[in-house]
Amino acid sequence: MENTSTPTHCPYCALQCGLNITPLPQGGVEVTERRDFPVNRGALCGKGRTAAQVLSPAVRLTAPLVREGGRLVEAGWGEALDRIAGRLSATRERYGADALGVFGGGGLTNEKAYTLGKFARVVLGTSQIDYNGRFCMSSAAAAGTRAFGLDRGLPFPLEDVPRTGCVILVGSNPAETMPPSLRFFTELRENGGTLIVVDPRRTRTAEQADLHLAPRPGTDLALALGMLHLVVAEGRTDEEYIRERTTGWAEARAAAMAHWPEYVERITGVPVPQLRAAVEMFCAPEAAMVLTARGPEQQSKGTDTVGAWINLCLATGRAGRPLSGYGCLTGQGNGQGGREHGQKADQLPGYRKLDDPAARAHVAGVWGVDPDSLPGPGRSAYELLDALGTDVRALLLMGSNPVVSAPRAAHIEQRLRSLDFLAVADVVLSETAELADVVLPVAQWAEETGTTTSLEGRVLLRCRAVAPPPGVRSDLHVLHELAGRLGVEKGFPTDPEEVFEELRRASAGGPADYSGITYRRLAEENGVFWPCPEEPTGTRDAGAAAWAWGAEGGSAGGDGEDAALDTVPDDPATDTDAPRTRPAADTGTTGGARGAHPGTPRLFLDRFATPDGRARFVPVVYRETAEEPDAEYPLLLTTGRVVAQYQSGAQTRRVAELNAAAPGPFVELHPRLAARLGAAEGDPVAVVSRRGRAVAPARITSAIRPDTVFMPFHWPGEGRANTLTNPALDPVSRMPEFKSCAVRVEVLGPGK
């Protein structure tokens, strides 16, 4: 029997685990392990194993819906698209282009994210576009760009983690959020390395650590500064590295020295001996890493918090060296690629800045429009959602569910209800789609081809394995049809590879350069790390790109500088730069074209992506969270995930096996707090903040601090954790403060 399995990737987190999809004779598909992909090596979590269940027509949208008489009823595609185009056009004519909003998602493929950003700026002419990835790792992106000149989640592949000497894992629980990655940390310890976990809760990940630091939520900044203070005081800085590869040390050192250990203990609750032990463990080996996730990033001071951890790496010479560095564990499936190619408010494709005239000229040339016609930067995600119904009157939303996932969610739900018009394209009828005037059923991961970019910066090819149900179309089809109805007949193809070819040109020469990546290479090489310029190795000037090429080639291979070259004349229809060179032929070898750039698994080994090649220390000082506890709200709430659910739960809550494992929300209480409140295991309790009230059963555990309560955020309704969270924004990244807000807990009797 012929093997009809299709190798592809999981639709959920940023690990993008490799798996196989096989159609079954009796209908449906089977997910099986794919051992050739180095990130998961065949391992899959429960979400990955059951991912095919969401493909079933029984749990998803299969026909467009339009609102009639207050209800959503089925309609034809023509009617639905006509209604969207008509309302967008009428709104723009009456209120102006910026009355139109576009909200995307970190689960969209690169092709969709690219096309959505182009659609907003070229077809609608609006500046009002952002995406839910702003809620994921924008603080890490801002801090990384500020320090290194470039943001890529991990500047090295995950395979380097077990080979380093120590990892500090800050605000991350991969045992539950990305379980297949836990083996890298297990192997680290098996190889003699040490793991330090920083988390207010004793999570499943923290239980495996050599040292668990449990700071009060919102105080990670003080913790990092206290460690840097000890590094200086104990003479553990790498002065030669600081002198040769960094700038700004004097100011950063002075700021850190104001955070002496006892002061930091008072702020964080972490005892000084533990602080000293962490410094010893981090500094003792030759190589070490700091990896952050949403814990330190989802704060109103998240950029500075991540910056303090970066300063610790720089002061000890632990960045831009083999098996060392700072990295961020991206959360969403395409959280990295999603912000690189234009759906973020201030970005153009290739991670170019929207307010950079040269970037605007390059991308406008690829798009065939006047650079002056491109709108400037718009509102960030929360600010855009907060403006709905007032400044922004109509919204097109793809692949996001802010009714559950946005901070101050009850307010955002009200803003969505106040819109003149809401159109949603999604796989399922999410809580946000239920509010829409038009809902479009779109294809999902196994039903369409496209690329994603993993937390490693590895660009991957997801391959179509099955046909979508009748009545379901792709997001690219939606944007193509809407563009045509709004007067733009060309430039919005429905073929994902055609879109990717344009994306290559648009990204060429940018920080996230994909121009040397093709679908063929991705299929043959198990992914390619960006930046990957089109030019063969050695042809580019040893200037701005030298930081990216590094001293190591990388896993993709490539033969180097003996490739035959031809010169490609400038094509005014597609190219805006001078003539360039490319390999004369693709030989189909493991490394792609003979002599093609192999991709860049490891960044910064020779220089950083700054004009002078040096990393930047940024002086930061501790400041409190936006909302500290008081007499009325004496506790701190922090939020997070559970292993069986994903993000807003819109898809995973439709899988019986996952719901059985995690059927609903809960509130974690320390036994001492529970005793003081009179709460027993399973009692309904209300968590109340200045923004609202959420009700869920109590879960009593000593794994959490007595001054802190925890809620997972995957559910809507009365247990919606984000009803409580604070939208206070980081001044640089515009990240809301999901991870800390002041609350009180009330024990409820029956019926309350």
Side-chain angles (χ1 to χ4, degrees):
M1 182 176 177
E2 183 182 355
N3 185 353
T4 58
S5 293
T6 301
T8 187
H9 295 272
C10 179
Y12 291 117
C13 82
L15 286 182
Q16 289 296 281
C17 292
L19 50 78
N20 293 308
I21 291 288
T22 307
L24 299 174
Q26 67 271 28
V29 300
E30 180 183 32
V31 171
T32 55
E33 296 84 359
R34 182 178 153 201
R35 300 188 181 281
D36 67 318
F37 189 60
V39 171
N40 63 308
R41 304 178 223 160
L44 292 172
C45 72
K47 296 187 288 291
R49 285 189 294 100
T50 60
Q53 294 187 33
V54 188
L55 298 172
S56 169
V59 300
R60 43 108 50 104
L61 295 165
T62 56
L65 305 174
V66 299
R67 191 166 294 280
E68 296 288 355
R71 296 190 311 114
L72 288 172
V73 299
E74 289 192 4
W77 270 93
E79 178 187 353
L81 290 166
D82 286 345
R83 188 174 296 199
I84 295 172
R87 294 297 298 272
L88 293 178
S89 180
T91 301
R92 181 172 59 184
E93 183 175 347
R94 181 174 181 182
Y95 297 107
D98 275 355
L100 304 179
V102 177
F103 200 84
L108 301 181
T109 63
N110 289 317
E111 292 80 1
K112 295 178 186 179
Y114 172 85
T115 304
L116 188 63
K118 181 181 179 182
F119 178 85
R121 295 175 176 109
V122 173
V123 177
L124 300 182
T126 182
S127 66
Q128 300 303 301
I129 175 172
D130 211 85
Y131 83 126
N132 64 13
R134 176 79 69 170
F135 301 155
C136 177
M137 57 173 290
S138 58
S139 293
T145 301
R146 198 163 67 174
F148 307 131
L150 180 78
D151 154 52
R152 193 180 85 184
L154 292 181
F156 39 72
L158 277 167
E159 67 189 41
D160 285 0
V161 170
R163 300 162 57 205
T164 192
C166 177
V167 172
I168 302 179
L169 194 57
V170 189
S172 177
N173 181 18
E176 297 200 59
T177 59
M178 43 182 66
S181 72
L182 193 63
R183 68 173 57 191
F184 293 102
F185 302 101
T186 302
E187 291 170 7
L188 164 73
R189 300 185 69 213
E190 290 173 348
N191 292 340
T194 54
L195 175 64
I196 302 170
V197 171
V198 179
D199 198 306
R201 303 166 63 224
R202 189 164 182 81
T203 63
R204 288 171 56 190
T205 305
E207 288 174 352
Q208 302 197 31
D210 296 280
L211 177 63
H212 172 214
L213 307 180
R216 182 173 172 268
T219 63
D220 313 80
L221 175 55
L223 185 70
L225 288 165
M227 288 184 65
L228 183 53
H229 176 108
L230 285 173
V231 164
V232 175
E234 296 175 1
R236 297 179 183 271
T237 57
D238 188 331
E239 294 297 326
E240 181 180 1
Y241 173 93
I242 291 170
R243 184 170 57 254
E244 294 181 355
R245 298 203 62 187
T246 72
T247 63
W249 170 229
E251 295 82 0
R253 179 181 57 202
M257 295 313 288
H259 301 78
W260 60 95
E262 292 75 15
Y263 171 58
V264 169
E265 179 179 333
R266 289 199 300 271
I267 294 171
T268 65
V270 175
V272 172
Q274 289 189 7
L275 200 65
R276 293 186 183 277
V279 170
E280 170 64 26
M281 292 167 64
F282 183 67
C283 293
E286 184 177 346
M289 299 173 178
V290 173
L291 304 178
T292 67
R294 308 300 79 77
E297 298 162 17
Q298 289 181 325
Q299 299 184 25
S300 60
K301 52 182 181 296
T303 302
D304 281 356
T305 300
V306 174
W309 290 106
I310 291 174
N311 285 350
L312 179 66
C313 289
L314 294 176
T316 53
R318 306 301 176 87
R321 284 179 167 171
L323 307 181
S324 286
Y326 163 77
C328 169
L329 298 177
T330 309
Q332 294 190 79
N334 198 33
Q336 181 71 50
R339 69 181 178 281
E340 292 170 3
H341 298 301
Q343 65 172 337
K344 190 162 171 274
D346 58 350
Q347 298 286 4
L348 285 171
Y351 225 150
R352 289 179 160 93
K353 299 293 291 182
L354 187 55
D355 57 4
D356 176 3
R360 293 169 66 87
H362 174 86
V363 174
V366 174
W367 289 350
V369 300
D370 184 344
D372 292 338
S373 70
L374 299 178
R379 293 176 172 89
S380 70
Y382 180 80
E383 292 164 306
L384 172 57
L385 295 171
D386 190 41
L388 300 180
T390 53
D391 294 338
V392 177
R393 311 298 294 254
L395 181 70
L396 173 63
L397 185 146
M398 286 186 162
S400 186
N401 189 17
V403 165
V404 178
S405 62
R408 197 185 174 196
H411 170 72
I412 295 305
E413 180 178 347
Q414 190 277 327
R415 300 318 312 152
L416 285 160
R417 292 180 183 276
S418 72
L419 280 164
D420 295 346
F421 181 75
L422 171 62
V424 173
D426 209 334
V427 172
V428 297
L429 189 65
S430 70
E431 288 72 21
T432 303
E434 289 176 351
L435 306 181
D437 299 285
V438 179
V439 184
L440 300 177
V442 292
Q444 54 178 309
W445 64 289
E447 301 165 346
E448 56 187 354
T449 294
T451 62
T452 61
T453 306
S454 75
L455 78 170
E456 301 176 296
R458 188 195 303 251
V459 185
L460 301 164
L461 184 64
R462 280 191 196 162
C463 297
R464 174 173 164 143
V466 295
V472 172
R473 301 183 183 178
S474 73
D475 296 275
L476 294 179
H477 174 87
V478 169
L479 295 172
H480 169 84
E481 291 293 322
L482 289 178
R485 284 167 166 78
L486 291 166
V488 180
E489 300 291 340
K490 296 182 179 181
F492 290 87
T494 60
D495 175 48
E497 187 168 9
E498 186 177 347
V499 175
F500 190 79
E501 288 300 303
E502 183 178 299
L503 182 157
R504 292 176 62 204
R505 299 196 303 273
S507 72
D513 190 335
Y514 284 30
S515 61
I517 303 174
T518 64
Y519 271 28
R520 178 175 177 176
R521 285 193 66 179
L522 294 177
E524 292 174 349
E525 300 174 28
N526 242 340
V528 177
F529 292 84
W530 71 259
C532 182
E534 187 175 17
E535 297 91 345
T537 303
T539 62
R540 180 173 277 203
D541 291 339
W547 57 268
W549 293 42
E552 301 182 38
S555 56
D559 284 288
E561 299 151 19
D562 57 350
L565 305 177
D566 64 345
T567 300
V568 183
D570 189 37
D571 179 356
T574 58
D575 294 329
T576 60
D577 297 330
R580 64 193 190 280
T581 57
R582 63 163 65 107
D586 188 336
T587 65
T589 61
T590 304
R594 179 173 173 80
H597 191 287
T600 314
R602 297 168 181 87
L603 298 173
F604 313 138
L605 295 178
D606 292 333
R607 55 182 283 131
F608 294 96
T610 56
D612 61 4
R614 293 171 174 263
R616 307 286 193 251
F617 280 101
V618 177
V620 295
V621 296
Y622 175 72
R623 60 183 187 274
E624 292 183 335
T625 59
E627 188 176 75
E628 289 289 316
D630 57 20
E632 187 176 3
Y633 302 97
L635 302 168
L636 284 170
L637 169 72
T638 192
T639 63
R641 308 176 190 177
V642 296
V643 66
Q645 301 288 354
Y646 179 72
Q647 301 295 76
S648 73
Q651 295 182 55
T652 51
R653 285 187 274 111
R654 286 165 169 80
V655 177
E657 178 182 330
L658 300 179
N659 278 335
F666 55 86
V667 181
E668 280 190 358
L669 305 173
H670 189 276
R672 293 209 302 267
L673 175 61
R676 192 167 78 242
L677 295 170
E681 180 76 17
D683 282 352
V685 297
V687 183
V688 184
S689 79
R690 290 178 172 86
R691 287 153 296 282
R693 182 175 186 264
V695 177
R699 182 174 293 182
I700 314 302
T701 174
S702 58
I704 194 167
R705 292 172 54 97
D707 57 3
T708 301
V709 297
F710 168 82
M711 290 188 71
F713 60 79
H714 309 289
W715 290 274
E718 70 172 6
R720 180 175 59 186
N722 277 319
T723 296
L724 308 168
T725 49
N726 189 356
L729 300 181
D730 179 282
V732 180
S733 68
R734 315 307 289 168
M735 168 74 84
E737 191 150 60
F738 288 97
K739 288 303 180 187
S740 178
C741 70
V743 298
R744 67 173 180 267
V745 176
E746 302 168 352
V747 181
L748 305 179
K752 295 184 181 179

